[in-house]
Amino acid sequence: MYKMWAVPGISSSSWSFLLVLCLVLKISVLSRGGITSSYVRKLQKSVDMPLDSDVFRVPPGYNAPQQVHITQGDLVGKAVIVSWVTTDEPGSNTVLYWSENSKLKLKAEGTVLRYKFYTYTSGYIHNCTLENLKFNTKYYYQVGIGNTTRTFWFTTPPEIGPDVPYTFGLIGDLGQTYDSNMTLTHYEQNPAKGQAVLYVGDLSYADKYPNHDNERWDTWGRFMERSVAYQPWFWSAGNHDIDFAPEIDETDLFKPYTNRYPTPNQASNSSSPLYYAIKRASAYVIVLSSYTACGKFTPQYIWLDNELKKVNRSETPWLIVIMHAPLYNSYEAHFMEGETMRVVFEPFFVENKVDFVFAGHLHAYERSHRISNINYEIVNKDCTPVRNQSSPVYIIFGDGGNIEGLNLDMREPQPDHSAFREASFGHAILEIKNRTHAYYHWHRNQDGYAVKAESKWFYNRYWHPVDED
Ligand SMILES: [Fe+2]
């Protein structure tokens, strides 16, 4: 019988050592590849909550403001846009607001609008920008002045600086099902809950109803108020926000979305509310539109090119891009749908050492390694993404829990660029600690509980471009 130990000059203990070394090396090589989570969610249909659900309750009182929500109103975080809807009459456009330590109520005047969508007419949608706020200050604000007045509060971000810690919630494709409610509740109950939310598109899924029943935009607004009235959410538009319905003569793209969810696009010289940028604490966030032309010389391309030149990593070390359709995705659903944008924008992301590209659209979760495919061109056919430490990590969290359900089918074998994937609903959190380190974690909805399914430290690409793997 062959005895592997019987090699002159090599003792059995040395063989054991070599064997262990080989195993360790094999495991470390394997760990460079991707993980497909073994967790399988109990399969059940995702059902929209009925119209009489408590989360859709209309606030009591004559002309009471409803669907109250806030977002950043300028480039740096010293302004907040307050939006709300009244239904009995237009009512007041005034917002009264005061800082926690002041009795002096300040006053801002907004505007009101209505829009029609087929046979639906919206309530009176109010938007009002509060300006010249102090950084890092809690403010109370009141809407519905003169009728039913309601009071809310928010905290402004700290002043911008390279080592200012800040935490973002990361949510996408939420909709208004029982699962959506679970995701939002888990986010709110997370001890590391964000100070603001980066939302990667597809809001209400009203377009799943006959004639895009816009009442479902109203229910979504009321459902979300418990979070969005108290902390800013940064909106990006998804395909379910296009509301293109030529069969009922509704061809004005993004009509409900843009009328209801204003963005501070002018502060970053964007001519479209669908793409814009904001700075917050130590982060520079660029919001892109997957459903707006992005080819060379289009307005979005020119804007992004100019915007990236403004980023100063000594001021805002963390460069984050959000969009709806993912550029890298190893599921069957929406595979390569982001390819048109990837071909044009990926070189920008690598040149500028973007830290993260967050996307939704896929109703599941996936995180990539740092990879790029910028070498590919139509002649060389060199189309396999390669590890690149100047590249962003691409994370998909279109797993909010909407009516369309989960995307379960994954492409096999798991490609090298995919680091972790799991078909579950959930939410994620990004905790920026300083200019070099950020702690990231994703939480699945598991049998009514939020379970931390993966977490990882990420290093800043400009200040500490070390391989996290
Ligand atoms: Fe989508």
Side-chain angles (χ1 to χ4, degrees):
M1 186 182 153
Y2 175 75
K3 284 176 72 178
M4 71 183 295
W5 313 117
V7 178
I10 300 182
S11 67
S12 63
S13 61
S14 300
W15 271 112
S16 304
F17 172 75
L18 280 173
L19 197 65
V20 169
L21 187 67
C22 285
L23 273 172
V24 168
L25 280 175
K26 191 174 180 199
I27 287 165
S28 69
V29 166
L30 281 175
S31 70
R32 299 273 298 176
I35 294 167
T36 297
S37 171
S38 57
Y39 177 77
V40 180
R41 180 177 178 264
K42 200 166 44 182
L43 277 183
Q44 52 207 7
K45 211 168 157 13
S46 295
V47 180
D48 267 1
M49 295 179 283
L51 291 173
D52 60 357
S53 301
D54 56 353
V55 296
F56 297 151
R57 192 177 66 104
V58 175
Y62 177 74
N63 211 32
Q66 56 169 274
Q67 307 176 47
V68 179
H69 55 92
I70 61 170
T71 195
Q72 187 162 315
D74 66 354
L75 190 63
V76 297
K78 290 183 75 174
V80 165
I81 305 171
V82 180
S83 305
W84 71 98
V85 175
T86 52
T87 54
D88 298 316
E89 56 167 289
S92 169
N93 291 330
T94 303
V95 177
L96 297 179
Y97 62 104
W98 63 97
S99 70
E100 190 174 29
N101 301 320
S102 169
K103 296 272 179 288
L104 181 68
K105 283 191 181 180
L106 302 164
K107 191 172 166 179
E109 282 302 313
T111 55
V112 64
L113 62 89
R114 295 183 102 174
Y115 74 89
K116 288 184 188 301
F117 195 95
Y118 192 48
T119 57
Y120 168 92
T121 303
S122 76
Y124 303 95
I125 301 173
H126 304 258
N127 296 304
C128 179
T129 305
L130 316 183
E131 293 173 322
N132 298 316
L133 303 171
K134 291 194 198 84
F135 284 120
N136 216 8
T137 302
K138 183 172 180 181
Y139 283 89
Y140 292 90
Y141 68 98
Q142 289 180 324
V143 289
I145 309 302
N147 296 135
T148 303
T149 301
R150 299 180 66 205
T151 307
F152 304 87
W153 58 86
F154 59 79
T155 302
T156 51
E159 191 167 356
I160 287 164
D163 290 299
V164 179
Y166 201 77
T167 302
F168 289 104
L170 308 172
I171 297 177
D173 300 65
L174 197 53
Q176 46 193 302
T177 70
Y178 293 100
D179 293 297
S180 323
N181 196 23
M182 202 178 292
T183 301
L184 186 61
T185 304
H186 288 169
Y187 168 62
E188 291 175 304
Q189 291 176 346
N190 194 320
K193 176 184 166 182
Q195 295 158 276
V197 170
L198 304 180
Y199 190 80
V200 291
D202 280 357
L203 283 66
S204 72
Y205 288 76
D207 64 347
K208 302 295 288 185
Y209 287 83
N211 303 321
H212 298 222
D213 183 1
N214 275 221
E215 295 284 353
R216 281 285 175 176
W217 274 102
D218 290 315
T219 53
W220 198 78
R222 294 199 291 272
F223 162 51
M224 297 300 292
E225 184 187 273
R226 70 187 200 227
S227 175
V228 195
Y230 299 93
Q231 64 170 223
W233 286 43
F234 300 107
W235 306 109
S236 60
N239 54 308
H240 289 285
D241 308 315
I242 301 173
D243 283 306
F244 175 65
E247 67 280 9
I248 50 172
D249 280 337
E250 287 297 348
T251 54
D252 187 2
L253 306 184
F254 301 100
K255 191 201 270 186
Y257 172 75
T258 51
N259 278 306
R260 291 166 182 271
Y261 292 94
T263 61
N265 60 295
Q266 287 172 355
S268 56
N269 298 321
S270 161
S271 57
S272 167
L274 301 173
Y275 51 86
Y276 61 98
I278 54 111
K279 303 185 208 180
R280 207 160 174 92
S282 48
Y284 204 106
V285 180
I286 292 179
V287 178
L288 296 177
S289 174
S290 298
Y291 304 99
T292 302
C294 66
K296 203 164 185 179
F297 309 125
T298 59
Q300 184 169 211
Y301 178 97
I302 293 166
W303 174 82
L304 177 62
D305 190 16
N306 288 330
E307 196 59 27
L308 286 167
K309 290 179 185 130
K310 294 185 208 163
V311 181
N312 174 2
R313 304 295 273 274
S314 295
E315 181 192 52
T316 50
W318 294 91
L319 180 51
I320 299 170
V321 174
I322 74 172
M323 61 181 63
H324 186 62
L327 306 193
Y328 288 99
N329 160 24
S330 76
Y331 288 65
E332 295 292 347
H334 308 305
F335 184 65
M336 289 184 79
E337 278 184 22
E339 195 62 6
T340 42
M341 183 178 272
R342 187 197 65 73
V343 167
V344 186
F345 285 173
E346 190 184 23
F348 280 144
F349 299 162
V350 178
E351 270 165 38
N352 290 280
K353 301 185 188 326
V354 168
D355 292 291
F356 300 103
V357 173
F358 295 137
H361 200 37
L362 176 78
H363 302 160
Y365 176 75
E366 182 162 27
R367 172 176 61 80
S368 79
H369 294 291
R370 293 195 182 277
I371 37 110
S372 79
N373 200 7
I374 53 174
N375 291 333
Y376 173 54
E377 32 93 337
I378 201 159
V379 178
N380 67 17
K381 302 187 183 106
D382 189 10
C383 65
T384 306
V386 294
R387 298 291 172 97
N388 184 338
Q389 290 305 314
S390 293
S391 297
V393 167
Y394 294 85
I395 305 182
I396 308 171
F397 42 84
D399 54 358
N402 65 72
I403 193 171
E404 292 184 333
L406 281 172
N407 294 132
L408 295 165
D409 295 336
M410 299 173 182
R411 295 177 70 85
E412 301 295 353
Q414 185 170 9
D416 283 345
H417 67 256
S418 170
F420 183 91
R421 57 185 187 173
E422 179 180 315
S424 291
F425 294 136
H427 75 278
I429 306 271
L430 179 68
E431 300 180 47
I432 294 173
K433 302 295 186 186
N434 53 34
R435 77 181 66 195
T436 55
H437 284 61
Y439 182 60
Y440 166 86
H441 34 117
W442 175 66
H443 303 257
R444 75 165 73 96
N445 302 348
Q446 183 173 324
D447 303 327
Y449 294 93
V451 174
K452 192 193 279 184
E454 77 150 353
S455 59
K456 193 169 176 67
W457 283 95
F458 286 111
Y459 308 132
N460 186 272
R461 287 302 96 186
Y462 183 87
W463 289 102
H464 191 56
V466 171
D467 185 349
E468 295 103 341
D469 293 328

